[in-house]
Amino acid sequence: MRTDVVLFTRDLRVHDNPALATAAREAERVVPLFVLDDTLLAGSPQRTTLLMGALHDLNRSLTALGGGLVVRRGDPVSETVRIARATGAQTVHVADDVSPYAARRTRRLAEAVNLQCHPGVTVVAPGAVAPADRDHYRVFTPYHRAWEGAPRRSVEPPPQRIGLPDGIDCGDLPPGDSAPGGETAARAGLER
């Protein structure tokens, strides 16, 4: 049976998540992974509180699909490679991101595993909208017109089921279950 890993970074949702949807279509077993990186957790207490609420919500959503969120702490690349090797994963899926931190993570992952990057939290791919003679717009209105006319990717439905490999320890999420944040609250707010 094929196993793939989905490394969750910013895209903490099951609906319209191309990395998760692709892994669920291509593999019988999926390891939804989040690595708690102390470098990022050390920043803002408010951001950490929202992150914990979103992770607990994501775990509930994945559990409802038959899986659960696998949580590790440390260097995201090292921990992802460790999980991929331990489970015999064929591919690691991750959402594209453009921050310098994410670019380094992606580069390091691509050197260690079979990595597949997917559209992330942007509606239009970064760099897809730029004037012909430069790498960015200097005025918002022409940029906005070009952005509105750019093609959009299709919306991905949530997977029907997530099957974890046998014997995998999901680990423990730090406290924060009652914190606001997460896909469920966001979708409820959107409906309201």
Side-chain angles (χ1 to χ4, degrees):
M1 267 201 258
R2 177 173 166 171
T3 300
D4 283 0
V5 172
V6 177
L7 176 60
F8 282 88
T9 55
R10 289 185 203 225
D11 208 356
L12 304 176
R13 60 187 179 188
V14 297
H15 292 81
D16 194 29
N17 186 322
L20 180 63
T22 302
R25 277 194 304 271
E26 294 179 356
E28 292 82 16
R29 298 178 300 185
V30 175
V31 180
L33 174 65
F34 188 87
V35 180
L36 297 163
D37 182 350
D38 290 326
T39 303
L40 296 178
L41 294 175
S44 157
Q46 293 84 0
R47 179 177 64 187
T48 300
T49 298
L50 286 172
L51 173 62
M52 290 309 134
L55 290 173
H56 280 275
D57 182 64
L58 177 60
N59 185 48
R60 283 189 295 274
S61 296
L62 291 166
T63 300
L65 295 172
L69 184 62
V70 175
V71 180
R72 296 296 183 266
R73 186 175 212 116
D75 173 56
V77 174
S78 300
E79 293 301 320
T80 301
V81 170
R82 185 174 291 125
I83 288 286
R85 289 184 181 150
T87 60
Q90 183 171 333
T91 303
V92 172
H93 301 266
V94 68
D96 276 333
D97 198 337
V98 297
S99 74
Y101 175 90
R104 283 189 304 275
R105 180 184 59 221
T106 299
R107 188 173 47 256
R108 290 178 57 216
L109 279 169
E111 291 170 356
V113 296
N114 178 29
L115 184 66
Q116 212 175 82
C117 293
H118 302 271
V121 295
T122 58
V123 174
V124 175
V129 178
D133 59 340
R134 344 183 251 289
D135 65 350
H136 67 282
Y137 283 93
R138 293 182 185 158
V139 178
F140 180 75
T141 302
Y143 163 77
H144 188 255
R145 280 192 210 112
W147 182 87
E148 282 185 319
R152 309 293 201 260
R153 67 172 173 78
S154 59
V155 174
E156 292 281 357
Q160 296 296 307
R161 174 149 175 66
I162 298 292
L164 284 170
D166 293 334
I168 191 160
D169 174 22
C170 286
D172 295 317
L173 273 170
D177 190 27
S178 62
E183 179 183 24
T184 302
R187 291 177 67 81
L190 182 62
E191 289 299 316
R192 280 193 305 277

